[in-house]
Amino acid sequence: MAVEVPFLPRALPLRLGKLLGRWGGSVWEYAPALVLLAALVGLWELMVGVLDTRPYILPAPSAIWDALIDKGHLLPNHIQATATEAVLGLLAAAGGGVLLAVLIASIPLARRVLYPIIVTSQTVPAIVLAPLLMVWVGIGLESKLIVVALVGFFPIVVSTVDGLASADRDMVALVRSMGASRLEELRHVLIPSAIPGFFAGLKIAAAYSVIGAVIAEWVAAKEGLGIFIIRSQASFRIDQIFVAIAVIALLSIALFVAVHLLARVASPWKYANDQGENGS
Amino acid sequence: MSEAAVAIHGLRHTFPGSRPVEVLDGVDLEAAPGAFVSLVGPSGCGKSTLLQVLAGLLAPDAGEALIEGQSTVGEPGLAAYMPQKDLLLPWRKAIGNAVLGAEIAGEPKAEARQHALDLFERFGLAGFEESWPSQLSGGMRQRLALLRTFLIPRHVLLLDEPFGALDAITRREMHQWLQEVWASDARTVLFVTHDVEEALILSDVAYVMTPRPARMAARFEVDYPRPRRPEIVTEPEFVADKARLLAALDGASSE
């Protein structure tokens, strides 16, 4: 009996992962990261206590939690504003990105003209553009949406162009032999080939979209997590800034996961063999 | 006399480049409507190039390629073409792949789908209509590619080594099965292969091609009664014909 005891700690998490199924399995994978994060937060709490840091320099995690409880009722409106900007901006980036990618991939002249301009556009930081956009389109939703779209469209264009270029030439020839038009080639072969690449780009864009929205709000806004941070800073509520940071991180992760799930739904053939009914 | 389903006259083609490759050197061919015609030749002799011209994918340097009297130059879609690789679209289920050609040819979707579903059984694919191509075996993928080709509403089928990638046993089954399918369908088939036995089992006419640059070296009428069983390969007449065909192939190679 005594021999079996050392095996317990190893067998237990394995069975737990199985019990929780596919999702539980991936949750279990992240457990070490969560443990490390908790340890770091604990260390932070301890150091703030030991060094007696002023709360307007660095508040303890417990103080940040208190701020969340205390001022949490202010957050939903700000979160809604930022999330709306991020999601709509991301949609605009996806639409514009795909359109540009199709142009670049199918018209050689468009590739030569557009690609260098698109690459150059990425050397201009979004934070520099934000004030200009405020002047041109005002401090409403539109200016934020444009900033998010400008941050997000680049990875979408690049990876969608790669996806379109990776299409099997022989498959294109096959549908052409069936009498397909250029548009049908695009619909039946090129676009489906580009779906995985498109989603790879969209994931990156999603991860940056919340940050883009917050940066735009910094410049000028009525609502949003960016303006919440500015106000908190003005009143030395560093604890509130940390609350906003945590919310921004969670929002970004949520968007990233949503895009990941969307990719699964949009390319079911890539996951067809997950259920274990492999024919060959 | 009715017009030839496939007619090729003096077809020439050279692939340009720093080292130009002359592939076709005046190829002539004719296939009567409803005939099963094989093209036998060594690997890399230009058989596939010939089919690509007929499929309208490649414009030759000189000569004519006609499907039912219409030139295929710059005019894809006159014949149903099946390339060597099965080229199933991974993002379409089996049924979706089957109807692809019919769909592009403008057949109403529901009709094409019903037509395809009726044929899944005969192509040995019953029960796999909703499978993804990645879930099918090699033989099934090949049959599905063939089904897709059959469903293209054209009178001429161009098949480029459809069974080249299959093992010998599966191949034998496919020969029997293709004969049945073709007999009930009465379309013209142009069948590229480098397997002499396969050509004899399946064809009404077998053309032997020379190595690159290709010309027609010989033309054989194959008139064994149909249906032809797999055992036919051991009959004296078949063995003699096979020897003649192989001799033509060797003669063409040593020219």
Side-chain angles (χ1 to χ4, degrees):
Chain A
M1 286 306 278
V3 189
E4 282 176 19
V5 176
F7 289 96
L8 257 176
R10 244 178 57 193
L12 205 63
L14 273 178
R15 200 173 305 158
L16 217 98
K18 243 180 204 160
L19 263 173
L20 292 170
R22 201 148 36 107
W23 283 100
S26 56
V27 165
W28 199 252
E29 253 175 62
Y30 297 122
L34 290 174
V35 169
L36 178 66
L37 196 67
L40 287 175
V41 171
L43 188 69
W44 175 0
E45 180 80 42
L46 203 71
M47 291 310 284
V48 169
V50 169
L51 299 174
D52 197 20
T53 315
R54 301 287 95 205
Y56 54 82
I57 304 290
L58 181 68
S62 56
I64 295 168
W65 180 256
D66 291 341
L68 173 68
I69 301 297
D70 188 29
K71 291 284 159 73
H73 64 280
L74 293 175
L75 284 173
N77 282 339
H78 292 301
I79 293 175
Q80 198 194 351
T82 304
T84 307
E85 291 156 14
V87 170
L88 290 181
L90 198 58
L91 285 177
V98 166
L99 204 69
L100 276 172
V102 168
L103 275 178
I104 288 171
S106 47
I107 306 170
L109 181 67
R111 185 189 193 91
R112 282 206 309 261
V113 173
L114 291 175
Y115 228 26
I117 294 177
I118 288 170
V119 172
T120 311
S121 77
Q122 291 309 296
T123 63
V124 182
I127 193 145
V128 176
L129 285 176
L132 284 175
L133 286 165
M134 302 302 155
V135 173
W136 292 336
V137 297
I139 65 164
L141 177 65
E142 296 85 352
S143 57
K144 280 81 183 173
L145 210 143
I146 294 172
V147 172
V148 174
L150 284 175
V151 171
F153 92 101
F154 184 68
I156 295 175
V157 170
V158 171
S159 54
T160 307
V161 166
D162 282 351
L164 288 168
S166 75
D168 190 332
R169 296 286 104 195
D170 292 336
M171 281 183 189
V172 177
L174 176 76
V175 297
R176 190 174 299 157
S177 82
M178 294 169 172
S181 62
R182 285 295 295 269
L183 214 63
E184 283 172 313
E185 282 171 35
L186 207 62
R187 182 159 83 91
H188 292 303
V189 182
L190 295 170
I191 287 176
S193 303
I195 284 178
F198 164 73
F199 276 106
L202 190 64
K203 265 185 214 173
I204 298 172
Y208 289 140
S209 62
V210 179
I211 298 169
V214 169
I215 287 175
E217 288 163 358
W218 265 344
V219 177
K222 295 193 197 85
E223 263 180 336
L225 291 165
I227 209 70
F228 179 75
I229 290 176
I230 298 278
R231 285 177 193 159
S232 304
Q233 188 198 20
S235 49
F236 296 100
R237 292 300 303 267
I238 308 301
D239 47 357
Q240 288 182 21
I241 297 183
F242 276 102
V243 169
I245 290 173
V247 170
I248 289 167
L250 286 175
L251 213 54
S252 298
I253 293 171
L255 257 178
F256 185 87
V257 170
V259 171
H260 182 74
L261 292 177
L262 207 62
R264 273 192 84 117
V265 173
S267 47
W269 67 92
K270 299 206 81 116
Y271 304 94
N273 294 330
D274 279 6
Q275 279 79 45
E277 44 166 316
N278 197 332
S280 51
Chain B
M1 197 191 124
S2 61
E3 183 181 53
V6 182
I8 291 174
H9 304 298
L11 206 63
R12 281 172 202 284
H13 192 71
T14 301
F15 284 114
S18 54
R19 286 177 55 200
V21 181
E22 193 184 359
V23 239
L24 302 176
D25 178 25
V27 174
D28 297 294
L29 174 149
E30 231 169 72
F36 197 114
V37 176
S38 286
L39 287 172
V40 192
S43 294
C45 78
K47 304 181 294 265
S48 295
T49 308
L50 193 63
L51 283 205
Q52 279 171 23
V53 171
L54 286 170
L57 297 174
L58 183 73
D61 293 341
E64 275 195 311
L66 308 173
I67 301 272
E68 298 176 306
Q70 212 180 328
S71 171
T72 64
V73 177
E75 193 63 50
L78 294 176
Y81 169 56
M82 176 179 173
Q84 256 175 55
K85 288 188 277 175
D86 58 61
L87 295 178
L88 299 172
L89 304 184
W91 42 85
R92 280 182 169 232
K93 292 181 175 176
I95 178 72
N97 268 288
V99 299
L100 179 66
E103 209 181 297
I104 291 174
E107 234 175 76
K109 263 190 182 174
E111 221 166 276
R113 200 182 151 85
Q114 194 50 54
H115 197 175
L117 286 174
D118 294 342
L119 284 173
F120 260 72
E121 175 98 55
R122 214 165 106 215
F123 278 70
L125 293 164
F128 289 89
E129 293 83 353
E130 299 296 325
S131 296
W132 297 102
S134 62
Q135 297 170 316
L136 303 177
S137 70
M140 295 172 84
R141 291 177 65 100
Q142 215 61 32
R143 285 199 296 271
L144 180 54
L146 209 50
L147 172 57
R148 176 186 65 199
T149 315
F150 264 75
L151 284 170
I152 300 173
R154 298 287 174 264
H155 298 130
V156 176
L157 306 183
L158 311 169
L159 311 180
D160 193 352
E161 293 192 33
F163 310 136
L166 301 181
D167 61 272
I169 298 170
T170 315
R171 234 173 135 118
R172 258 165 62 113
E173 287 170 15
M174 298 292 264
H175 290 159
Q176 290 310 305
W177 166 86
L178 177 60
Q179 285 190 69
E180 284 168 32
V181 173
W182 171 72
S184 65
D185 197 82
R187 287 198 271 184
T188 313
V189 175
L190 206 60
F191 187 93
V192 162
T193 178
H194 55 242
D195 181 340
V196 170
E197 249 180 36
E198 185 168 77
L200 282 173
I201 292 172
L202 296 172
S203 317
D204 299 316
V205 173
Y207 282 93
V208 174
M209 293 171 83
T210 67
R212 211 174 53 216
R215 273 174 294 110
M216 289 308 177
R219 179 180 185 278
F220 291 89
E221 302 261 350
V222 188
D223 43 20
Y224 318 133
R226 290 184 187 269
R228 299 165 184 170
R229 309 306 315 164
E231 301 79 56
I232 194 174
V233 297
T234 57
E235 281 171 23
E237 196 191 347
F238 187 95
V239 175
D241 283 342
K242 187 177 162 187
R244 278 169 50 218
L245 233 143
L246 282 170
L249 204 56
D250 288 344
S253 305
S254 58
E255 221 176 274

